[in-house]
Amino acid sequence: MAQHFSLAACDVVGFDLDHTLCRYNLPESARLIYNSFAEFLVKEKGYDKELLTVTPEDWDFCCKGLALDLEDGNFIKLADNGSVLRASHGTRMMAPEALAEEYGRREWRHFPADAAVACRSGKYYFYDNYFDLPGALLCARVVDSLTKHNGQKPFDFWKDVVAGIQYNYKMSAFKENCGIYFPEIKRDPGRYLRTCPESVKKWLQQLKNAGKILMLITSSHSDYCRLLCEYILGNDFEDLFDIVITNALKPGFFSHSPSQRPFRTLENDEEQEALPSLDKPGWYSQGNAVHLYELLKKMTSKPEPKVVYFGDSMHSDIFPARHYSNWETVLILEELSGDRDGKPEESEPLEKKGKYEGPKAKALNTLSKKWGSFFIDSVSGLENMEDSLVYTWSCKRISTYSTIVIPSIEAIAELPLDYKFTRFSSNNSKTAGYYPNPPLVLSSDGTLTTK
């Protein structure tokens, strides 16, 4: 495989929407997502009202890459070999002695040996994006509450969390103003959303002018997608994209066969009949990567058009696009900027600073004191041995399935389209694909040294 990656060599450029093209004011959006679930659990399912109160310090619990064991209420951080680096019961972190007794150095019992089934199971849940993370804090506090009041184990609260997702985010929720989330985004989009910088808008147009096919593939429904795109890109956003696919139900969009997940047309945001194939560009719902690729062959007049896909979720975007479709993948990882000298990248425009009340919560892309680095962690040394540093499972997946990693699209928007990025590959170092710089915690050659 070539050492370098260039957008100029791609025929098709695809984008996820949420936290990729559309970036959020993370402290505000996280609080809104948390509240949407907490109010449902308290009002509809009878959970303790203390769930409704969150302090700025509570947000330090949030860290991408954690897994929740749904049976015992433990959150864990995994090393690249599947062993447990840190763990908590609810929000209470386990001391090193308790961690060693519970997990030792062995592989976690649910460690997914088959990468294809990783991240979703009836026994565990991996948190890998900013829509998920507020739910991690909520579930941890639910475990605290249930443990305090009745020592409940095994836990069975997950069905109520799923019911909260259904209530707040079902397909009709936007139109019906269900729950808290959509009505609030509609009421004050500027509080939660960040408009696309002019550099990104010009970059999208530059790609289009260069003859690239532009696609938007999002699991958001069409009505919410339209609100987001009009706010961040303008009312003429549809002119930028040849193909828009909403309610894509990723990762199934990549892994399912055409018969399992056909494309559907839309009429007034309502899904219509299933299509036997995809014959022309346009706006569609659901669908599958197989039929999409057949259309791309026709549109490019090439037997194997080269596709690159930008996304923020390893589970929904990067892993399936690479594993099932063999697309090039660009991971948007805001933690890349969040670990630069411990200062998060500006998460809201200066003119908004101080506009919204309340103490400042930790931005979700900054370092968690409880969980440490997203990329590496230390393993306690055995007797007479020093602690050693290891890669996290999340970090390993990044270098395995991503072509390159960037903190935001804005970070590359002013580069020429033929800029040659160094890509991740078995021939390069573990940090090769990070642009513009690798995480501070990783040395430039990707080696890990003892502390």
Side-chain angles (χ1 to χ4, degrees):
M1 186 181 280
Q3 294 277 323
H4 295 98
F5 163 75
S6 166
L7 286 167
C10 297
D11 304 296
V12 184
V13 186
F15 300 93
D16 174 44
L17 181 57
D18 296 284
H19 302 288
T20 299
L21 266 182
C22 177
R23 298 182 67 199
Y24 287 73
N25 175 8
L26 291 178
E28 294 291 340
S29 64
R31 196 154 44 219
L32 177 60
I33 293 166
Y34 180 95
N35 289 342
S36 72
F37 288 120
E39 291 216 8
F40 177 84
L41 291 183
V42 172
K43 292 180 179 176
E44 303 296 327
K45 299 294 181 180
Y47 283 75
D48 197 308
K49 288 180 181 175
E50 67 191 14
L51 292 176
L52 298 174
T53 306
V54 189
T55 68
E57 294 73 33
D58 289 334
W59 290 104
D60 182 62
F61 185 82
C62 293
C63 177
K64 273 188 195 171
L66 301 182
L68 165 59
D69 188 318
L70 297 172
E71 293 173 344
D72 60 22
N74 289 353
F75 286 79
I76 60 167
K77 178 183 181 182
L78 289 170
D80 56 0
N81 65 358
S83 61
V84 178
L85 293 167
R86 302 190 193 200
S88 71
H89 182 69
T91 63
R92 295 173 63 88
M93 300 302 294
M94 287 188 188
E97 301 76 25
L99 183 71
E101 185 179 338
E102 180 83 18
Y103 297 107
R105 293 288 180 86
R106 63 190 177 276
E107 199 175 87
W108 179 48
R109 60 181 175 153
H110 297 311
F111 185 65
D114 178 6
V117 299
C119 295
R120 300 296 186 265
S121 156
K123 295 184 176 178
Y124 60 85
Y125 189 92
F126 275 98
Y127 292 89
D128 92 327
N129 64 70
Y130 294 130
F131 266 140
D132 277 350
L133 282 187
L137 175 59
L138 178 69
C139 288
R141 298 186 73 212
V142 165
V143 170
D144 290 346
S145 177
L146 294 175
T147 302
K148 182 172 80 173
H149 294 304
N150 54 14
Q152 182 185 358
K153 196 176 179 182
F155 294 93
D156 65 352
F157 62 85
W158 188 248
K159 66 182 187 302
D160 296 329
V161 174
V162 172
I165 296 171
Q166 286 290 327
Y167 178 71
N168 280 283
Y169 301 100
K170 63 188 176 185
M171 194 164 185
S172 60
F174 186 92
K175 190 178 287 184
E176 296 170 0
N177 275 327
C178 273
I180 290 175
Y181 184 82
F182 289 128
E184 178 60 16
I185 295 276
K186 287 182 193 177
R187 187 188 68 80
D188 192 1
R191 179 169 186 161
Y192 304 101
L193 309 176
R194 300 174 58 185
T195 56
C196 265
E198 282 304 313
S199 61
V200 173
K201 293 179 187 176
K202 287 177 182 172
W203 178 77
L204 291 170
Q205 192 60 57
Q206 188 184 2
L207 286 167
K208 200 161 179 63
N209 294 346
K212 311 300 179 190
I213 292 170
L214 265 57
M215 308 187 298
L216 189 60
I217 306 175
T218 174
S219 291
S220 289
H221 298 307
S222 53
D223 42 16
Y224 185 52
C225 171
R226 188 174 291 104
L227 179 146
L228 295 182
C229 288
E230 287 180 353
Y231 185 84
I232 67 167
L233 290 168
N235 293 339
D236 59 350
F237 75 91
E238 286 186 65
D239 295 342
L240 284 169
F241 300 102
D242 300 278
I243 299 167
V244 176
I245 300 166
T246 50
N247 194 27
L249 302 171
K250 297 175 292 181
F253 178 86
F254 296 101
S255 62
H256 284 26
S257 68
S259 61
Q260 290 174 296
R261 190 66 62 73
F263 279 97
R264 295 178 182 275
T265 54
L266 284 162
E267 211 168 282
N268 297 322
D269 295 315
E270 298 286 342
E271 291 183 344
Q272 304 300 304
E273 76 284 352
L275 299 173
S277 63
L278 202 58
D279 298 323
K280 59 185 180 182
W283 190 317
Y284 299 96
S285 193
Q286 296 197 38
N288 60 87
V290 174
H291 276 172
L292 173 61
Y293 198 63
E294 290 302 314
L295 174 62
L296 296 175
K297 289 179 187 177
K298 276 200 273 185
M299 292 175 70
T300 59
S301 301
K302 291 185 177 182
E304 293 185 352
K306 188 169 182 180
V307 184
V308 59
Y309 188 64
F310 288 71
D312 70 295
S313 169
M314 179 57 68
H315 169 68
S316 299
D317 301 318
I318 304 304
F319 167 74
R322 171 60 59 84
H323 182 76
Y324 297 107
S325 299
N326 201 29
W327 291 358
E328 300 280 16
T329 53
V330 179
L331 176 64
I332 306 293
L333 189 68
E334 294 193 39
E335 282 74 9
L336 256 193
S337 56
D339 94 326
R340 308 305 297 175
D341 303 318
K343 296 170 187 167
E345 185 183 8
E346 206 62 72
S347 65
E348 57 185 326
L350 286 173
E351 65 268 17
K352 284 190 186 174
K353 289 223 169 278
K355 182 176 176 182
Y356 299 114
E357 72 291 336
K360 199 71 175 170
K362 175 190 90 81
L364 296 188
N365 63 323
T366 54
L367 187 72
S368 163
K369 292 173 186 164
K370 274 193 162 95
W371 294 104
S373 171
F374 171 78
F375 303 97
I376 61 169
D377 212 336
S378 59
V379 175
S380 298
L382 301 171
E383 286 180 40
N384 304 320
M385 289 179 66
E386 292 183 312
D387 289 1
S388 58
L389 291 175
V390 297
Y391 289 107
T392 62
W393 186 62
S394 299
C395 189
K396 180 184 179 182
R397 280 166 67 81
I398 285 172
S399 58
T400 305
Y401 298 111
S402 310
T403 303
I404 61 170
V405 177
I406 57 178
S408 64
I409 291 175
E410 193 177 357
I412 65 168
E414 295 183 1
L415 297 175
L417 295 185
D418 60 358
Y419 182 89
K420 287 183 167 54
F421 296 93
T422 304
R423 66 189 302 144
F424 287 113
S425 76
S426 54
N427 302 326
N428 290 335
S429 79
K430 288 270 181 71
T431 60
Y434 291 106
Y435 180 89
N437 298 295
L440 285 172
V441 293
L442 299 180
S443 61
S444 59
D445 62 356
T447 57
L448 296 177
T449 55
T450 54
K451 287 173 121 180

